[in-house]
């Protein structure tokens, strides 16, 4: 591990939480493990310090692990939460899935089982951090592009519109982005320009390179055409490949 992973382990058996801490630390010195023996105690811990991952038993006095999970999800929708229980049943597994648990692991006595637990924790946290980083990137993108003075549209690899900034909505004479969403890019072009545009789009996506500017007759939602110079570039949006179209008019 390149950095420490903080874990809150909630289980009503103190001897078991000590055992898990010991075995996880044998797997790696990158775990920083805090423990709690009741759900309420775990919630008290969360009030002051949110870990990278929660590992929780199911059967505990007072509130059970599913109730704990639901409380966590009401405030932290994506925080890794692994239900780690000795009560293995289809019903518990189904409840965990329905409550949006990140993972479900049944306790086992074999020592190599802790390597599995360590791996599941690490994978969950890495995915969580990657998603958070992607979200921050999207936020920065929107902060930069939403108010850009030129129309900007993004199309996915199926040629469907997945984003349009405010300038694009205005340029296309639309009332809102919802009026444009999921339309193919050909819907915004004169019929005589569609074949050439399709060839350029396919080349851009397959070769992942920018394409030179070209003039098109752009069709607004009211059917009116506007001549404009369109620059296209390959990029990513919300982790997916897109073609970016920037309109100069």
């Amino acid at each position: 591990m390149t950095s420490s992973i903080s874990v809150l382990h909630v289980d009503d058996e103190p001897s078991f939480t000590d055992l898990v801490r010991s075995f996880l630390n044998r797997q790696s010195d990158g775990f920083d493990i805090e423990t709690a023996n009741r759900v309420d105690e775990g919630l008290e811990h969360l009030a002051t310090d949110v870990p990278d991952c929660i590992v929780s038993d199911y059967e505990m006095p007072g509130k059970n692990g599913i109730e704990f999970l639901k409380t966590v999800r009401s405030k932290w929708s994506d925080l890794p939460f692994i239900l780690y229980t000795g009560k293995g049943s289809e019903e518990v597994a189904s409840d965990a899935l329905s409550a949006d648990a990140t993972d479900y692991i049944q306790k086992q006595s074999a020592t190599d089982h802790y390597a599995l637990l360590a791996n599941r924790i690490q994978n969950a946290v890495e995915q969580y951090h990657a998603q958070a980083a992607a979200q921050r990137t999207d936020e920065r993108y929107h902060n930069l592009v939403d108010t850009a003075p030129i129309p900007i549209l993004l199309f996915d690899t199926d040629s469907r519109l997945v984003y349009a900034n405010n300038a694009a909505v205005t340029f296309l004479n639309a009332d809102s982005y919802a009026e444009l969403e999921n339309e193919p890019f050909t819907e915004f072009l004169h019929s005589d320009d569609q074949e050439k545009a399709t060839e350029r789009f396919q080349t851009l996506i397959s070769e992942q390179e920018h394409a030179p500017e070209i003039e098109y007759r752009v069709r607004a939602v009211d059917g009116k055409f506007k001549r404009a110079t369109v620059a296209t570039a390959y990029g990513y949006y919300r982790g997916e490949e897109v073609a970016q179209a920037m309109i100069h008019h």
Side-chain angles (χ1 to χ4, degrees), residues 176-243:
S176 67
Y177 167 67
E179 207 173 340
L180 310 171
E181 185 178 16
N182 208 39
E183 292 288 348
F185 70 82
T186 51
E187 182 68 20
F188 304 106
L189 296 173
H190 191 283
S191 58
D192 291 344
D193 294 334
Q194 292 176 6
E195 183 177 352
K196 181 186 294 184
T198 299
E199 292 175 357
R200 286 167 58 89
F201 174 83
Q202 292 171 345
T203 300
L204 182 146
I205 293 298
S206 63
E207 298 183 2
Q208 302 181 2
E209 293 182 354
H210 298 355
E213 294 182 347
I214 189 171
E215 185 175 279
Y216 287 125
R217 286 158 290 182
V218 178
R219 179 182 179 277
V221 296
D222 57 6
K224 295 180 179 179
F225 288 96
K226 304 179 180 182
R227 287 193 175 274
T229 300
V230 180
T232 52
Y234 176 85
Y236 286 88
Y237 180 66
R238 295 180 175 172
E240 301 295 332
E241 294 177 291
V242 293

Side-chain angles (χ1 to χ4, degrees), residues 134 137-138 141 154-158 160 162-163 205 208 233-244:
T137 299
D138 282 349
Y141 184 90
L154 305 183
F155 296 91
D156 65 17
T157 54
D158 292 325
R160 299 285 178 173
V162 293
Y163 170 81
I205 293 298
Q208 302 181 2
Y234 176 85
Y236 286 88
Y237 180 66
R238 295 180 175 172
E240 301 295 332
E241 294 177 291
V242 293
Q244 306 176 70

Side-chain angles (χ1 to χ4, degrees), residues 7 77 87 95 107:
V7 178
S77 60
K87 185 177 177 60
D95 288 345
K107 295 175 183 176

Side-chain angles (χ1 to χ4, degrees), residues 72-193:
V72 169
R73 284 288 173 260
S74 68
K75 190 169 184 179
W76 298 281
S77 60
D78 299 316
L79 183 66
F81 190 111
I82 296 174
L83 194 68
Y84 184 45
T85 174
K87 185 177 177 60
S89 70
E90 291 184 4
E91 181 181 358
V92 173
S94 176
D95 288 345
L97 181 63
S98 298
D100 200 21
T102 308
D103 208 341
Y104 171 87
I105 304 175
Q106 190 171 347
K107 295 175 183 176
Q108 297 178 19
S109 58
T111 56
D112 59 358
H113 172 68
Y114 297 101
L116 170 67
L117 176 61
N119 182 258
R120 296 285 187 88
I121 292 172
Q122 185 172 359
N123 288 343
V125 171
E126 287 177 352
Q127 184 176 359
Y128 174 60
H129 287 168
Q131 290 172 342
Q135 182 176 352
R136 290 193 296 271
T137 299
D138 282 349
E139 289 172 353
R140 287 195 296 268
Y141 184 90
H142 279 287
N143 290 338
L144 177 67
V145 175
D146 279 350
T147 57
I150 65 169
I152 299 175
L153 304 99
L154 305 183
F155 296 91
D156 65 17
T157 54
D158 292 325
S159 81
R160 299 285 178 173
L161 183 70
V162 293
Y163 170 81
N165 69 351
N166 296 332
V169 171
T170 300
F171 179 73
L172 294 170
N173 299 339
D175 293 327
S176 67
Y177 167 67
E179 207 173 340
L180 310 171
E181 185 178 16
N182 208 39
E183 292 288 348
F185 70 82
T186 51
E187 182 68 20
F188 304 106
L189 296 173
H190 191 283
S191 58
D192 291 344
D193 294 334

